[in-house]
Amino acid sequence: MRLVKPTLKFKKSFQTGLREFLKIDKRDEGDSTKVEEYIKKSKCYEKGINLPRGIVPASTFWLVDRGVFIGRVSIRHKLNKKLRAFGGHIGYAIRPSKRDKGYGSKILGLALKEARKLKLKKVMVTCDDDNIASQKIIEKNGGKLRQKKKWGGKLVRFYWISLKF
């Protein structure tokens, strides 16, 4: 099990995972339908090239286990005002058929290693207050709850994770 940069090597598995996401939420992962464009965009975002207004540089990785796409994680290199209000440094998603198998904790743990490589000293991770699974994943990886606040009609938890070097 490892993190890899988005690659055509796992295109078919990624597309299968994407269809799972789209069955649950038509908006979630929807910009990823053209894998070649998604990969190109991911590379640009990592380098800070052609970023839309309000978007910060971010590194995207896929969690792959035995050649199968399990989920994706984005690590934002810095926070802007919007990300401080919601989203934080790290956002991750595990494809529905692979949930409740420990992959969420694994992807966040591996993402924290990548965040250290970016010289981040601490990272913010958020989740909905009613998402018990994400709460457990974040806390297992050292997350300390700092606040809860309403965002888009939902109560959201804001965690900070200190990164040790």
Side-chain angles (χ1 to χ4, degrees), residues 86-104:
F86 178 78
H89 287 95
I90 298 175
Y92 60 92
I94 301 297
R95 65 192 276 185
S97 67
K98 301 297 183 182
R99 293 180 183 166
D100 299 321
K101 297 178 182 182
Y103 288 119

Side-chain angles (χ1 to χ4, degrees), residues 101-120:
K101 297 178 182 182
Y103 288 119
S105 187
K106 187 67 174 175
I107 199 169
L108 181 56
L110 292 170
L112 294 173
K113 289 181 181 180
E114 294 296 329
R116 283 183 194 93
K117 292 177 186 177
L118 293 169
K119 305 292 187 219
L120 297 174

Side-chain angles (χ1 to χ4, degrees), residues 19 35 41 50 64 130 158 165:
R19 284 191 292 276
V35 180
K41 189 166 130 178
N50 298 325
V64 177
D130 61 357
F158 290 75
F165 289 89

Side-chain angles (χ1 to χ4, degrees), residues 28-73:
D28 190 29
E29 310 299 320
D31 67 339
S32 309
T33 53
K34 296 179 182 165
V35 180
E36 292 82 358
E37 289 179 29
Y38 173 85
I39 291 170
K40 182 179 177 183
K41 189 166 130 178
S42 294
K43 289 177 182 178
C44 287
Y45 278 30
E46 185 167 15
K47 296 175 184 172
I49 299 170
N50 298 325
L51 296 176
R53 184 182 171 106
I55 301 297
V56 301
S59 298
T60 299
F61 297 93
W62 291 347
L63 181 65
V64 177
D65 190 11
R66 297 183 187 116
V68 176
F69 168 82
I70 303 297
R72 63 115 190 112
V73 62

Side-chain angles (χ1 to χ4, degrees), residues 54 56 76 78-89 124 126 158:
V56 301
R76 293 151 198 124
K78 61 183 177 179
L79 297 180
N80 59 18
K81 186 176 180 179
K82 182 179 175 185
L83 289 169
R84 285 185 195 285
F86 178 78
H89 287 95
M124 183 195 344
T126 66
F158 290 75

Side-chain angles (χ1 to χ4, degrees), residues 121-151:
K121 296 187 184 338
K122 63 181 183 173
V123 294
M124 183 195 344
V125 185
T126 66
C127 71
D128 291 344
D129 191 56
D130 61 357
N131 189 337
I132 305 301
S134 283
Q135 291 173 34
K136 289 179 180 180
I137 289 166
I138 296 166
E139 290 170 3
K140 181 178 179 180
N141 279 281
K144 304 293 182 206
L145 181 64
R146 294 295 179 229
Q147 67 177 341
K148 295 182 189 182
K149 66 180 178 182
K150 287 275 188 183
W151 177 263

